[in-house]
Amino acid sequence: MAGSWPPDGLFGTSTVVDLRLSMFGPERYRCPASDALKARGLRPRVRAAWKPEMLETFPNGPFMAAADALERPVGEPVPSASRGSRQRPLHDGVKRWTEHALRMYQQAFPPNPDLRPVDQSWVYRYHSSAGEDRSSTEYRITAWGRCFESDDGRLRELRLPVNRLRARSAAERAVAALVAAEGSSDPRLERVRVVQFALSDGRTEPVFDGTRKEALDVYRAEGAPAVRALLDSQEYRPGTACASCVIAPVCPALPRAEGLLGITDRSRPRRSWSSTTGRRHQGCPARGYLRGLRLPADEAVERGVAAERGRAVHTFLAERHSRLPRTPCAPEIPADWVPRGYWLPDDERRLGAELLRHHAEVCPLRTVVPGAEIRTEPRLVFDDAAADLLVLAEPDALYQDAGSWVWRETKTSSSDRPRRDVLVTYPQLALAVRIIGGGLLPVSRIRGRVELELLCPGGVDLRILDPFAPATQAAAEKVLRDQVSGWHVDTSFEPVPGPGCTSCEVARWCSVRQLREDRPETAR
C-alpha cells in the first residue's frame, strides 16, 4: 500500500459496485488497487484528455460483432456496442484475425437448434441492506462472452472467448458460474454450462458444468471470498495495465519520469513502450502492432532453437540467482540443466551448458555483499508525462553494489563475432542508461552502472557502461529518440514486406507477407 486510501485526487460516491470476470484473471495483467477503485466508480477529479487511436485496439471486439451478426435472425438487431461492435477502422492483420476467429468459432460450435442467443448479456445483481450510516449498495458482476439458453429456459451456456486456452483460477470458475446461473434470473433454469473456446485453433474446455444450486455453492465457496478480497485490496501492482488505467494520473505507486524517452508531445494517444516495442516497429510496424495486440504467434518461429536456448539460459540463471542463501553460480553445470518447459537439441544443450560455465566467471553474486538486494527480471514501470507514455523495462538482473544499483543484461550467442555499438545492438541498454543516470531508482546513484554480459562459445565479455558519462548519455538519448519518434506518431502501422517475413511470428495475419518459395503456407 502506498499513502492514503483511497488516493488523493479521486472523487465518486457511487452506490453501484461493478465487477467483471476479467478482474479475477491472470495477476500479471492486473492491478488489485485499480480494480477495487474502478469497481466503486472512483475517478480522478481532473480527467485526462480523450485521445483515441485511429485503429481499433481491442482485437476480439470485431469477432464478437461478426458472431452476433452471424447468429441473429435476419432483420433482428444485434446487441449494443458494448458487446464488441466496432467503431474504428481495423488493421489488415485484425481483419484476417477476425475472419480466422470466426471460422474457429463455427468449428467449435456448429449450429445447435436447442440453444439460442440471448438478447442481453447476463448481469448478476445483488443489493446490500442499508445501514444506519450508509445507503444501500448494488453489486453487479458481468462476464464478457457469448450467452445462450434453451427455448424452455432450463439450460444456459456461457461461452468465454480466449486467444488460446489457459488455466482458470477457482475464483474465475466460480464467478463465471454465478453470472450464468443468476444473471437475469430465470426460475426455470436448472443447469448451467460455462466453456472457454480458443479463437486460435477452435479448441474448447469446460469451465463449469452443473446445476444451478451447484453453481451457487461453488460461488459461495470460491467466488465470494475472492470478491471480498478484491474489494478490500489496497495493493498497487504497476505494470502494463497502467497504460489504460484511469487511476494512473493520481496513482501514488506509479513512478514519474517526465522526459525519460526524450519526446515532448502529449497530443498522441496514451500508449505503453518498451525496447521490444521500438525494435519491432523499426523492423516492421505491422509486426510490432500485432504483437502489441497479443495476437497468437507462430510458435515454430517464436520458439526457434536460438531463441529457445536464450530463454532457457535466462530461466536457469534467474532460478539460480533467486535461491536462498545466495551463492555465486559455479562452473559445474548439470547435464539436465534445461529448465522444464523448454526443449533443445543436443548441440544447443551442450552450447547452453558451455555458456553457463562462462557466466560463472562474472556472476553478479560474486560482488553482492550479504544483505544487499538482488532482483531477478524485475518489472520496472515509469510514467513519462512529457510524451504521455508508459515505459516498461525488465532487466535480467538488478543488484546493489556499495549501495548503488547495477543493471545487468545477459545475452547469448552461438558466434564469437565482436559487438561494436552495443547501445544500438541492444537498445534496452540505452533505456538502462537513462534510468540509472537519471536517478530514477530509489537509492544513491553515485556508483550506479549498466552491464552487458555477452556469453559466447569462446568465453564471456562483460561490458561496463557509465550512465553518468556525457558521451554515453548522449548516445543513449539518440538511440531512444530513433526508436521512439517514428513509432510515437504512427497511426496506421503499415507492413513492410521483405525477407524478414519468413521469420515473422505473426506473418499469418498479414495479407502482403512474403514467403519463401520452398516454404508453402500451411494452416497452423
Side-chain angles (χ1 to χ4, degrees), residues 57-236:
T57 57
F58 181 39
N60 290 346
F63 155 74
M64 287 290 272
D68 282 338
L70 177 72
E71 293 175 330
R72 296 280 159 175
V74 177
E76 181 178 327
V78 298
S80 65
S82 62
R83 282 286 303 249
S85 58
R86 58 187 173 96
Q87 303 294 314
R88 286 174 281 182
L90 301 184
H91 189 276
D92 172 69
V94 176
K95 290 179 183 177
R96 289 177 64 88
W97 161 247
T98 301
E99 293 166 358
H100 172 85
L102 193 60
R103 288 195 301 270
M104 294 300 99
Y105 175 69
Q106 292 174 288
Q107 174 182 306
F109 300 99
N112 184 347
D114 296 328
L115 291 175
R116 59 179 177 82
V118 302
D119 294 330
Q120 296 292 332
S121 297
W122 297 315
V123 180
Y124 169 74
R125 287 180 168 86
Y126 167 75
H127 289 268
S128 67
S129 301
E132 293 182 359
D133 57 346
R134 60 185 177 89
S135 58
S136 63
T137 301
E138 179 186 20
Y139 294 84
R140 301 174 183 169
I141 305 180
T142 58
W144 192 80
R146 305 202 58 74
C147 305
F148 289 80
E149 64 184 2
S150 59
D151 287 333
D152 60 9
R154 297 170 61 187
L155 172 67
R156 282 184 176 178
E157 182 172 274
L158 174 59
R159 302 171 181 175
L160 304 175
V162 291
N163 286 2
R164 285 198 170 102
L165 295 181
R166 64 173 178 83
R168 294 279 180 170
S169 67
E172 284 183 287
R173 293 175 182 272
V175 170
L178 175 74
V179 172
E182 292 297 299
S184 304
S185 182
D186 186 338
R188 301 174 298 169
L189 181 63
E190 297 176 359
R191 193 161 194 86
V192 171
R193 284 201 302 256
V194 181
V195 59
Q196 65 173 337
F197 63 95
L199 299 174
S200 57
D201 57 20
R203 291 188 298 159
T204 63
E205 182 177 83
V207 174
F208 177 83
D209 190 345
T211 65
R212 183 178 192 172
K213 179 181 182 304
E214 289 170 337
L216 293 176
D217 290 343
V218 167
Y219 176 76
R220 293 188 185 102
E222 304 287 353
V227 168
R228 289 193 294 270
L230 185 151
L231 293 176
D232 291 342
S233 179
Q234 299 181 22
E235 177 195 356
Y236 295 98

Side-chain angles (χ1 to χ4, degrees), residues 386-458:
D388 200 10
L389 293 175
L390 184 77
V391 184
L392 307 170
E394 196 167 297
D396 291 325
L398 196 62
Y399 66 97
Q400 287 183 321
D401 183 12
S404 292
W405 285 111
V406 181
W407 183 308
R408 170 76 68 93
E409 292 289 343
T410 301
K411 298 299 175 184
T412 68
S413 176
S414 60
S415 168
D416 289 316
R417 177 174 55 86
R419 272 70 171 175
R420 298 187 182 277
D421 194 340
V422 295
L423 286 176
V424 174
T425 305
Y426 307 109
Q428 58 266 53
L429 297 175
L431 182 58
V433 166
R434 292 283 289 168
I435 291 173
I436 297 289
L440 299 181
L441 299 179
V443 291
S444 170
R445 61 175 185 161
I446 297 175
R447 292 174 295 275
R449 65 183 183 271
V450 177
E451 298 178 337
L452 171 63
E453 176 185 352
L454 290 167
L455 296 174
C456 304

Side-chain angles (χ1 to χ4, degrees), residues 263-504:
I263 300 293
T264 303
D265 180 5
R266 290 186 55 85
S267 67
R268 313 305 303 169
R270 181 168 172 80
R271 297 174 178 171
S272 62
W273 185 91
S274 69
S275 296
T276 301
T277 306
R279 184 181 70 249
R280 287 172 176 163
H281 185 271
Q282 285 185 324
C284 174
R287 181 182 187 178
Y289 177 77
L290 298 178
R291 286 310 307 264
L293 293 180
R294 300 195 182 100
L295 293 192
D298 184 344
E299 290 194 1
V301 175
E302 190 174 40
R303 304 196 67 167
V305 290
E308 193 77 345
R309 179 235 305 143
R311 294 189 190 101
V313 167
H314 279 80
T315 300
F316 180 90
L317 292 177
E319 191 276 330
R320 284 295 180 94
H321 294 163
S322 300
R323 287 182 180 177
L324 295 176
R326 300 194 189 281
T327 56
C329 294
E332 292 76 30
I333 306 300
D336 60 347
W337 70 270
V338 179
R340 179 176 298 179
Y342 297 91
W343 180 88
L344 293 175
D346 290 343
D347 58 339
E348 289 289 343
R349 184 184 296 262
R350 289 191 294 270
L351 173 58
E354 185 65 24
L355 301 180
L356 289 169
R357 281 189 283 273
H358 295 323
H359 164 79
E361 301 174 28
V362 296
C363 177
L365 292 181
R366 289 183 174 276
T367 61
V368 173
V369 300
E373 186 175 356
I374 178 169
R375 301 167 63 188
T376 57
E377 299 181 345
R379 182 173 54 182
L380 305 181
V381 184
F382 301 93
D383 187 57
D384 185 349
D388 200 10
L389 293 175
L390 184 77
V391 184
L392 307 170
E394 196 167 297
D396 291 325
L398 196 62
Y399 66 97
Q400 287 183 321
D401 183 12
S404 292
W405 285 111
V406 181
W407 183 308
R408 170 76 68 93
E409 292 289 343
T410 301
K411 298 299 175 184
T412 68
S413 176
S414 60
S415 168
D416 289 316
R417 177 174 55 86
R419 272 70 171 175
R420 298 187 182 277
D421 194 340
V422 295
L423 286 176
V424 174
T425 305
Y426 307 109
Q428 58 266 53
L429 297 175
L431 182 58
V433 166
R434 292 283 289 168
I435 291 173
I436 297 289
L440 299 181
L441 299 179
V443 291
S444 170
R445 61 175 185 161
I446 297 175
R447 292 174 295 275
R449 65 183 183 271
V450 177
E451 298 178 337
L452 171 63
E453 176 185 352
L454 290 167
L455 296 174
C456 304
V460 59
D461 180 9
L462 185 64
R463 307 280 185 93
I464 308 296
L465 302 178
D466 180 0
F468 307 105
T472 304
Q473 290 180 338
E477 290 172 7
K478 182 180 185 305
V479 168
L480 288 179
R481 280 197 304 271
D482 290 345
Q483 276 217 322
V484 177
S485 56
W487 166 83
H488 192 230
V489 299
D490 198 346
T491 59
S492 57
F493 302 96
E494 298 291 340
V496 181
C501 294
T502 58
S503 59
C504 176

